[in-house]
Amino acid sequence: MKKQLFPEASVYRLCLLYRLLESIGKEGVRNVTSFRISELLGSSPDSIRKDVSFLGSVRSGKEGYDVSDLSECIGRAFGFPVTKPACVVGLEGIGAAFIQFPELVPPPFQLKAGFDSSINRVETLNTPIPLFPSYQIEEIIQREKTEIALLTAPPGEARKQLDRLIAGGIRGVINFSPVFLQTNEKVFIRNSAVLEDFRILSAHMELYN
Amino acid sequence: MKKQLFPEASVYRLCLLYRLLESIGKEGVRNVTSFRISELLGSSPDSIRKDVSFLGSVRSGKEGYDVSDLSECIGRAFGFPVTKPACVVGLEGIGAAFIQFPELVPPPFQLKAGFDSSINRVETLNTPIPLFPSYQIEEIIQREKTEIALLTAPPGEARKQLDRLIAGGIRGVINFSPVFLQTNEKVFIRNSAVLEDFRILSAHMELYN
DNA sequence: CCTTGTGAACTCGTTCACAGCT
DNA sequence: AGCTGTGAACGAGTTCACAAGG
């Protein structure tokens, strides 16, 4: 893997910041200080300033950063302006949620297809996005030039579906299945742990009270 | 806040480990080494051993840890054996997903109610969990002794709904809304960023390729 | 003046290396 | 013999403190 330009933690915060800027931009806010950002995002102003400095020069004055310029700089650095076709693999649980509420998936990603190994589920689910049986993964994602997949298949299946995605030329995978996945192919895998949020919160409640 | 017994990062990994142990335990696996765990979870064996050491003494031998004992120790430390009533506030987007697929929410949490400020949505959504208008939050969560809420209300509303939850005596909140929430009341707030996973993955794809 | 930008100090977490169990 | 448990070394990330700029 190539040398890291942005620290991991900065990428994370800048993604949160990007969303924040979209939101306050729509409200008509033009400028925002690192201190104000820290109130809204919960990180220190120092971290925010350091993160922004990785972007290079962002328009700022004594009113703070220029909202639209900062937003553009983040977008440019991270490739957000380019829409990216996406698909969902596994239509139980959280996969079903994403395929039935495609607006959950934020721009620039666009859901193009859903896959499941149960033909019955493929045929009976009623969704705004077309569904296919899993054996068609390779074919369909090549046709749609799909770059990103949400993998929500159960543990036993996850590996097989990942291989199909790789065969079809996927570039990135968000893994919502509870097993850690890795590969030596040139594919980016992000292991998400949404469902763990519940237990992590519970652990905190137990530990500090 | 009380002194921290477990490092933040260890709590996170132990929650992942807990799920892993449930899963391999069902398959009949009795022992697991820190090295094997590291393969399945993607953290180093050293970190895993250090995490486990915070639990106190766990039964282990030259085959590694005893799966069921390790699982019990984590559960005991984090309060997992006790079922906890939960609710969803905000029935658009990810809130709708959770209320329509309550099995997404892992044990020991049990969804008891959903709330939305749109009466229309409350009346028309078809869900396995009872729905109520938001002004009843305080009343219902007191009645159901609800400890945890999933807050998915839009940014402008999130604060108001949080105040209602606090008035009703909520103990923990998972905040899925894109604004950071905090309070000086004795309530645990975990700011989740599932939807940011997409952009974080995209950023990685852009930065290192 | 109130802001950003940034080296330096510090804190937290990870990795290393090996002693101690079973 | 193979594993866990853990102080010590290391590295990443955060906070501090102050210089510089609109």
Side-chain angles (χ1 to χ4, degrees):
Chain A
M1 204 176 250
K2 210 200 224 172
K3 191 175 148 281
Q4 190 154 0
L5 299 163
F6 289 71
E8 193 61 33
S10 295
V11 172
Y12 174 77
R13 279 189 301 262
L14 286 168
C15 285
L16 292 179
L17 177 52
Y18 186 77
R19 173 171 297 226
L20 178 69
L21 293 169
E22 287 180 310
S23 162
I24 65 176
K26 277 178 199 148
E27 293 168 9
V29 177
R30 317 284 295 235
N31 295 282
V32 66
T33 66
S34 59
F35 180 76
R36 179 67 182 138
I37 294 171
S38 84
E39 290 181 323
L40 295 165
L41 245 42
S43 337
S44 77
D46 312 78
S47 295
I48 298 295
R49 290 205 301 279
K50 200 150 271 186
D51 297 341
V52 171
S53 76
F54 290 114
L55 296 169
S57 119
V58 173
R59 199 171 153 59
S60 68
K62 77 170 162 185
E63 309 272 283
Y65 299 105
D66 180 284
V67 170
S68 69
D69 188 48
L70 180 48
S71 178
E72 268 173 45
C73 289
I74 299 173
R76 200 177 320 124
F78 292 171
F80 292 160
V82 184
T83 75
K84 296 177 169 65
C87 70
V88 176
V89 176
L91 302 177
E92 295 179 282
I94 202 164
F98 279 116
I99 206 76
Q100 294 191 33
F101 302 96
E103 54 304 338
L104 277 181
V105 178
F109 307 102
Q110 282 187 352
L111 283 191
K112 298 285 191 182
F115 300 97
D116 199 287
S117 50
S118 155
I119 306 282
N120 185 47
R121 198 170 297 122
V122 167
E123 286 173 350
T124 55
L125 262 184
N126 192 357
T127 68
I129 309 287
L131 304 183
F132 306 91
S134 297
Y135 65 79
Q136 287 192 286
I137 287 177
E138 186 173 347
E139 170 196 345
I140 303 286
I141 70 173
Q142 273 177 356
R143 189 175 78 199
E144 298 282 354
K145 312 226 179 314
T146 309
E147 293 190 17
I148 289 193
L150 317 189
L151 182 53
T152 73
E157 259 188 44
R159 183 74 234 179
K160 186 165 112 194
Q161 309 298 27
L162 175 61
D163 291 335
R164 283 172 166 159
L165 288 164
I166 292 172
I170 206 77
R171 290 194 57 228
V173 175
I174 304 181
N175 175 31
F176 288 98
S177 78
V179 289
F180 172 74
L181 292 176
Q182 54 181 351
T183 176
N184 32 28
E185 313 285 330
K186 200 172 145 255
V187 171
F188 294 87
I189 300 183
R190 179 169 177 84
N191 294 286
S192 174
V194 208
L195 302 180
E196 254 35 76
D197 280 326
F198 295 88
R199 284 175 175 158
I200 293 170
L201 175 65
S202 176
H204 276 97
M205 289 165 56
E206 194 73 19
L207 292 172
Y208 326 103
N209 67 17
Chain B
M1 204 177 248
K2 211 200 224 172
K3 190 174 148 283
Q4 188 153 0
L5 299 163
F6 290 72
E8 194 60 33
S10 294
V11 171
Y12 173 78
R13 279 190 300 264
L14 286 168
C15 285
L16 292 179
L17 177 53
Y18 186 78
R19 174 172 296 227
L20 177 69
L21 294 169
E22 285 181 311
S23 164
I24 65 177
K26 276 178 198 148
E27 293 168 9
V29 177
R30 315 287 292 239
N31 296 282
V32 66
T33 66
S34 59
F35 181 76
R36 179 69 183 137
I37 294 171
S38 84
E39 289 181 324
L40 295 165
L41 246 41
S43 337
S44 77
D46 312 77
S47 295
I48 298 294
R49 290 206 302 280
K50 200 149 271 187
D51 297 341
V52 171
S53 76
F54 291 114
L55 295 169
S57 117
V58 173
R59 199 172 154 56
S60 69
K62 74 171 164 183
E63 310 271 284
Y65 299 106
D66 181 283
V67 170
S68 69
D69 188 48
L70 180 49
S71 178
E72 267 172 46
C73 287
I74 299 173
R76 200 177 320 122
F78 292 172
F80 292 159
V82 183
T83 75
K84 295 179 170 62
C87 70
V88 176
V89 177
L91 302 177
E92 296 179 281
I94 204 164
F98 278 116
I99 206 77
Q100 294 191 33
F101 303 97
E103 51 309 333
L104 278 181
V105 177
F109 307 99
Q110 283 187 352
L111 283 191
K112 298 287 191 180
F115 301 96
D116 199 287
S117 51
S118 154
I119 306 281
N120 184 47
R121 198 171 296 122
V122 167
E123 286 173 350
T124 55
L125 264 183
N126 193 357
T127 68
I129 309 287
L131 305 183
F132 306 90
S134 297
Y135 64 80
Q136 286 192 287
I137 288 177
E138 185 174 346
E139 170 195 345
I140 304 286
I141 70 174
Q142 274 177 356
R143 189 175 78 200
E144 297 283 354
K145 311 224 179 314
T146 310
E147 293 190 18
I148 289 193
L150 317 189
L151 181 54
T152 73
E157 260 188 44
R159 183 74 233 179
K160 186 166 112 193
Q161 309 298 28
L162 175 60
D163 290 335
R164 282 173 166 159
L165 288 164
I166 292 172
I170 207 76
R171 290 195 57 227
V173 174
I174 304 181
N175 175 31
F176 288 97
S177 78
V179 288
F180 173 74
L181 290 176
Q182 55 181 351
T183 175
N184 33 27
E185 313 285 329
K186 200 171 143 252
V187 171
F188 294 86
I189 300 184
R190 180 169 176 84
N191 294 285
S192 174
V194 209
L195 301 181
E196 253 37 74
D197 280 326
F198 295 89
R199 285 175 174 160
I200 293 170
L201 175 65
S202 176
H204 276 96
M205 290 165 55
E206 193 74 19
L207 292 171
Y208 327 105
N209 66 18

